[in-house]
Amino acid sequence: MPPLAPQAGDVEKEEQAAQFTAAPPVGPAAHIYTYSGSGQYARALGTCTPSPSCSAFSSPLVAFVTDASGNPRSGVVVTFAGTGSGADATLSSATATTNAAGLASVTATANGTAGGYAATATAAGVAGESASFSLVN
């Protein structure tokens, strides 16, 4: 029996294959960047020795960690540090862990000494790089 000829109103079916692109694999932590929080000013209120009378910086210090391809890395421990003397800040924590967006943050409160300085952040597994936060008390 010969195949039937198409009739008016027949719909031709076209097969389409779904195509998916796999997300690139995320590699180990390779870079750390200053994301936000640099360039802030807070009042140094004399000898406030980190207490409520010291002035907190208005925004947290936020570092961004990526793999070598620029993909955000979650679960990376980031270590934050001040200068340790002179104009400095007391940090809410010495370490923070990156979230799904690759961000880790701490808050900072000025000590009682006026002056400019840089707080830094380093990431586990990232050699030779640090994020720097310019702060002024």
Side-chain angles (χ1 to χ4, degrees):
M1 183 181 247
L4 296 174
Q7 303 294 315
D10 283 354
V11 177
E12 223 176 285
K13 292 183 180 179
E14 183 178 314
E15 290 187 32
Q16 294 182 355
Q19 294 182 356
F20 296 94
T21 303
V26 176
H31 301 288
I32 185 168
Y33 304 97
T34 303
Y35 185 78
S36 64
S38 187
Q40 296 186 75
Y41 296 83
R43 279 186 47 192
L45 302 173
T47 55
C48 59
T49 55
S51 73
S53 66
C54 291
S55 182
F57 289 93
S58 60
S59 299
L61 309 182
V62 184
F64 178 48
V65 179
T66 69
D67 67 8
S69 298
N71 299 306
R73 287 284 301 144
S74 64
V76 177
V77 175
V78 175
T79 301
F80 291 85
T83 62
S85 64
D88 198 3
T90 299
L91 305 175
S92 58
S93 178
T95 63
T97 302
T98 57
N99 62 18
L103 302 174
S105 67
V106 297
T107 58
T109 301
N111 69 5
T113 305
Y117 57 97
T120 59
T122 55
V126 178
E129 288 186 23
S130 64
S132 182
F133 303 89
S134 175
L135 302 171
V136 177
N137 293 356

